[in-house]
């Protein structure tokens, strides 16, 4: 594994070759250090190569091509049940989130990495560029996808942000058409229209203010995103805006885990909030996203179409601010 350090007037960041992970980022906000991204406590210590790359080095931002992970589920809402027998995609979130990328160019404030895909994939090659914005506490990322052959494929971006210690002290704000609880986690109502009232078995929870206290795990998809995602750490006077091309990636998956995964390397330690722009049906098997499903039947794309003639370019940014 190799790493590249970005330094500019408004911050410092580290990008790893493993899964092209943004491992660390510090923004300078008026002389105050602001670290919005999550970072696994085991980073740099896992030597078991059977654990996929983005879990060995679980930092703040990576890419998923295809988005899928999935695996069979014994129970699901009726409209999802017939789809939930698909096997797990491997590696989870695709080669992009597992393999060693090659650093092809780098300077003081940017780095470009590349990864060739197996011949069995419709994807030929990925290039990922992470660049500091010279005049702002901001990072701009570009994913360029080169196709081997024309095909639909699910795609996701996977920023993960730091949870505060106290429940409810991270405020989320976004506009969307409709939200759905992950079909694996439904115990009644699945759909919602406000982050403040996400249905759960024991009554609605307020996902607009996290962490959720006694609830360790929750996964939802905001479909038909109409705005960036704004997050404010209320006790720190700071926040960030996550923005991307919503015509390409029309949904945002929110993955909330607060010491909710017990198997290695997690061991009940990890706290993070994934805010993941996607063209996918949650993190389900890629075949579910590329075929008919309850989300794309409502006009929200769950895959992108790639073709050899024209590379697909997907951009996203994280801009920090003082509140």
């Amino acid at each position: 594994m190799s790493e590249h350090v970005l330094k500019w007037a408004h911050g410092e960041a580290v990008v790893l070759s493993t899964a092209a992970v943004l491992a660390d980022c510090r923004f300078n906000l008026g002389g105050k250090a602001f670290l919005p991204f999550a970072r696994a406590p085991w980073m740099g210590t896992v030597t078991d190569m059977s654990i996929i790359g983005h879990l060995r080095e679980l930092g703040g931002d990576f890419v998923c091509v295809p988005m899928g992970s999935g695996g069979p589920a014994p129970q699901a809402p009726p409209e999802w049940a017939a789809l939930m027998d698909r096997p797990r995609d491997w590696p989870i979130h695709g080669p992009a989130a597992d393999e060693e990328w090659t650093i092809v160019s780098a300077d003081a404030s940017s780095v470009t990495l590349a990864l060739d895909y197996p011949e069995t994939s419709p994807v030929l090659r990925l290039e990922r560029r992470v660049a500091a914005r010279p005049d702002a506490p901001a990072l701009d990322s570009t994913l360029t996808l080169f196709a081997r052959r024309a095909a639909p494929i699910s795609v996701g971006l996977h920023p993960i942000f730091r949870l505060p210690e106290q429940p409810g002290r991270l405020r989320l704000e976004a506009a969307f058409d409709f939200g759905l609880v992950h079909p694996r986690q439904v115990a009644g109502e699945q759909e919602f229209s406000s982050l403040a009232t996400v249905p759960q078995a024991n009554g609605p929870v307020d996902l607009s203010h996290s962490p959720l206290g006694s609830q360790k795990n929750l996964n939802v998809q905001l479909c038909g995103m109409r705005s960036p995602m704004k997050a404010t750490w209320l006790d720190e006077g700071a926040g960030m805006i996550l923005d991307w091309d919503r015509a390409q990636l029309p949904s945002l998956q929110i993955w909330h885990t607060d010491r909710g995964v017990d198997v290695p390397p997690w061991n009940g330690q990890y706290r993070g909030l994934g805010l993941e722009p996607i063209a996918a049906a949650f993190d389900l098997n890629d075949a579910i996203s590329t075929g008919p499903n309850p989300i794309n039947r409502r006009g929200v794309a769950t895959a992108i179409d790639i073709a050899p003639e024209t590379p697909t370019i997907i951009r996203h940014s994280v801009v920090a601010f003082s509140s």
Side-chain angles (χ1 to χ4, degrees), residues 3 8 42 48-49 61 97 167 170-171 264 281 295:
E3 65 177 44
W8 76 111
W42 61 81
D48 182 356
M49 298 301 289
D61 188 297
L170 175 57
R171 184 177 65 214
I295 295 175

Side-chain angles (χ1 to χ4, degrees), residues 41-48 56-57:
W42 61 81
M43 286 186 74
T45 68
V46 178
T47 58
D48 182 356
R56 295 196 307 272
E57 305 293 343

Side-chain angles (χ1 to χ4, degrees), residues 181 192 194-220 256:
V181 178
F192 57 93
S194 169
L195 280 173
T197 53
V198 176
Q200 290 290 276
N202 297 321
V205 298
D206 182 3
L207 189 53
S208 70
H209 289 79
S210 61
L212 299 176
S214 61
Q215 182 156 347
K216 294 182 177 181
N217 295 306
L218 181 60
N219 192 322
V220 307
H256 170 282

Side-chain angles (χ1 to χ4, degrees), residues 69-312:
S69 53
Q75 294 181 335
E79 62 270 32
W80 290 93
L83 301 174
M84 301 296 288
D85 61 349
R86 303 297 177 95
R88 177 185 291 271
D89 284 328
W90 193 261
I92 296 170
H93 297 320
D98 179 37
E99 300 287 345
E100 288 292 314
W101 294 53
T102 299
I103 296 177
V104 295
S105 65
D107 57 31
S109 60
S110 70
V111 61
T112 300
L113 306 96
L115 178 66
D116 294 327
Y117 263 48
E119 292 184 0
T120 54
S121 173
V123 177
L124 176 66
R125 177 181 173 89
L126 298 180
E127 292 183 0
R128 169 162 154 84
R129 183 174 188 265
V130 180
R133 196 176 297 178
D135 57 352
L139 288 177
D140 295 309
S141 299
T142 304
L143 174 66
T144 305
L145 193 158
F146 300 89
R148 178 175 282 112
R149 59 180 182 273
I153 191 169
S154 62
V155 173
L157 310 176
H158 207 302
I160 314 175
F161 296 93
R162 174 176 52 84
L163 286 173
E165 287 298 326
Q166 296 301 315
R169 301 308 292 167
L170 175 57
R171 184 177 65 214
L172 301 180
E173 300 171 81
F176 55 95
D177 290 341
F178 63 95
L180 297 173
V181 178
H182 197 294
R184 293 177 180 279
Q185 299 178 340
V186 172
E189 182 67 25
Q190 184 184 22
E191 186 166 341
F192 57 93
S193 59
S194 169
L195 280 173
T197 53
V198 176
Q200 290 290 276
N202 297 321
V205 298
D206 182 3
L207 189 53
S208 70
H209 289 79
S210 61
L212 299 176
S214 61
Q215 182 156 347
K216 294 182 177 181
N217 295 306
L218 181 60
N219 192 322
V220 307
Q221 181 162 331
L222 309 184
C223 303
M225 289 292 296
R226 302 195 304 268
S227 74
M229 170 60 78
K230 181 180 180 181
T232 306
W233 281 254
L234 297 173
D235 296 328
E236 299 177 36
M240 69 85 204
I241 295 174
L242 170 66
D243 202 1
W244 70 98
D245 186 340
R246 287 171 287 284
Q248 289 177 308
L249 307 182
S251 294
L252 183 85
Q253 180 170 247
I254 301 180
W255 168 57
H256 170 282
T257 185
D258 192 355
R259 301 186 179 95
V261 185
D262 294 328
V263 298
W266 311 80
N267 299 321
Q269 302 175 76
Y270 190 74
R271 308 181 73 241
L273 187 74
L275 301 176
E276 307 162 21
I278 60 173
F282 296 94
D283 56 356
L284 299 174
N285 182 292
D286 185 56
I288 297 175
S289 292
T290 57
N293 61 64
I295 295 175
N296 59 29
R297 287 193 188 102
R298 297 177 66 171
V300 178
T302 56
I304 64 172
D305 291 316
I306 60 174
E309 297 80 13
T310 307
T312 299

